[in-house]
Amino acid sequence: MSLIINALYRDEAGFIVSAELVLVSTIAVLAMIVGLSEVALNVNNELEDVGSAYGKMSQAYQYYGLEGHNACFSGSSWYEVIDFCDEDNNIVPNNDFLGERI
C-alpha cells in the first residue's frame, strides 16, 4: 500500500496541463470582465439615447375651427414647452472618468 501512495505522490504527469488550464482560464475570465463592462457601458449609452429621443418628441397640436350654415366650431391648440432635462446626453455618471466616455 505504501508503494502505491509513494508512486502517486511522486507522479507529476498532469502538473503542466493543469497549470496551463489555470493560466488560460484566468486570462479568459479577465477578458470576459472587460468585455462585459464595455457591454454595460454601451447598453447604458443606448438607453440614454432612447430616453433623449422620447424627450425630443413634440406633443404639440393645433386644429382650426369650422364655420358655415348657421353653425361654428372653434379650434383648439396646445404647445409644448421644453422640459428641464430635454437635452442630448444629459445623463452622466457620478464618477465621470475621461477614459470611459467618448
Side-chain angles (χ1 to χ4, degrees), residues 19-56:
E20 290 173 352
L21 287 176
V22 167
L23 181 65
V24 168
S25 63
T26 302
I27 292 172
V29 167
L30 291 175
M32 284 187 349
I33 290 171
V34 170
L36 288 176
S37 69
E38 286 298 315
V39 166
L41 178 70
N42 288 324
V43 165
N44 285 334
N45 287 339
E46 290 301 319
L47 288 175
E48 196 277 329
D49 290 343
V50 170
S52 292
Y54 277 118
K56 289 286 185 180

Side-chain angles (χ1 to χ4, degrees), residues 49 56-57 85 89:
D49 290 343
K56 289 286 185 180
M57 286 194 307
C85 291
N89 301 322

